């Protein structure tokens, strides 16, 4: 398995637990990385993904609701919601991953962690967002520049 894919899986597991149980970010990450260590070369990627998603979550959720209103966030499975957040963070907020790669990786996460219909659902939502890619990137990056990130202690 590719190191970055493993890092995404760990980030997803951590975000899922934080979303479900509201456990402390630093404790969740420490436990995830103890159980499933990653090479030092991708350790910062795990932290960046979790920190980035948590600090941009509210803005990304608004974008999902604005650009994909047929999929209400409160009716989405928690795992699906976090897979979408990771992908949107990667291609629209940080720009660290090309959009097509982020969508493909999100679908792969959905195959491993989601329900049978999750990969198709994730692909559909991200596909609808991809049609507005430039607009979404501008919206999220402009809001990020105007607003300080929420504090999320991941160290």
């Amino acid at each position: 398995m590719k190191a970055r894919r493993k890092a995404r899986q760990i980030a997803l597991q951590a975000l899922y637990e934080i979303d479900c149980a509201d456990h402390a970010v630093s404790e969740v990450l420490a436990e995830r990385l103890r159980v499933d260590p990653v090479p030092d070369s991708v350790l910062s990627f795990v932290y960046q993904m979790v920190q980035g998603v948590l600090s941009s979550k509210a803005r990304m959720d608004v974008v999902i609701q604005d650009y994909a209103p047929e999929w209400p966030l409160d009716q989405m499975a928690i795992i699906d919601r976090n897979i979408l957040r990771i992908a949107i963070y990667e291609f629209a907020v940080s720009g660290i991953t090309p959009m097509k790669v982020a969508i493909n990786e999100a679908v792969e996460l959905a195959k491993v962690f989601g329900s049978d219909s999750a990969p198709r659902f994730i692909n559909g939502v991200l596909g609808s967002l991809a049609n507005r890619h430039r607009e979404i990137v501008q919206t999220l990056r402009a809001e990020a520049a105007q607003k300080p990130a929420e504090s999320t202690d991941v160290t």
Side-chain angles (χ1 to χ4, degrees):
M1 176 187 304
K2 293 179 186 175
R4 280 193 165 220
R5 182 165 290 167
K6 184 176 182 180
R8 284 182 187 93
Q9 288 182 352
I10 291 168
L12 176 61
Q13 291 169 330
L15 290 165
Y16 179 85
E17 181 176 340
I18 293 162
D19 212 4
C20 284
D22 200 30
H23 290 156
V25 177
S26 57
E27 292 173 17
V28 170
L29 276 172
E31 180 61 17
R32 286 281 101 233
L33 292 166
R34 186 190 65 73
V35 170
D36 199 1
V38 296
D40 288 343
S41 60
V42 294
L43 189 60
S44 65
F45 185 65
V46 173
Y47 283 102
Q48 180 184 9
M49 295 295 292
V50 172
Q51 174 70 38
V53 168
L54 291 174
S55 65
S56 304
K57 181 172 65 171
R59 295 187 306 271
M60 290 188 299
D61 288 355
V62 169
V63 164
I64 294 168
Q65 288 303 261
D66 287 350
Y67 294 100
E70 58 276 14
W71 294 292
L73 276 170
D74 61 345
Q75 294 176 20
M76 253 182 231
I78 294 170
I79 200 78
D80 295 349
R81 190 169 55 223
N82 281 293
I83 291 171
L84 291 172
R85 289 171 178 158
I86 288 171
I88 294 166
Y89 172 76
E90 283 193 78
F91 77 76
V93 177
S94 71
I96 57 177
T97 306
M99 182 182 60
K100 288 183 180 183
V101 173
I103 292 172
N104 182 59
E105 289 297 319
V107 169
E108 291 302 316
L109 285 173
K111 287 177 183 176
V112 173
F113 295 99
S115 67
D116 289 343
S117 61
R120 188 168 174 224
F121 172 73
I122 294 295
N123 193 51
V125 174
L126 292 174
S128 71
L129 295 177
N131 294 331
R132 310 291 292 277
H133 177 250
R134 203 170 284 135
E135 191 177 336
I136 290 168
V137 168
Q138 289 174 344
T139 299
L140 287 170
R141 291 186 186 167
E143 288 178 11
Q146 293 173 355
K147 198 163 140 181
E150 298 169 21
S151 176
T152 51
D153 178 24
V154 295
T155 55

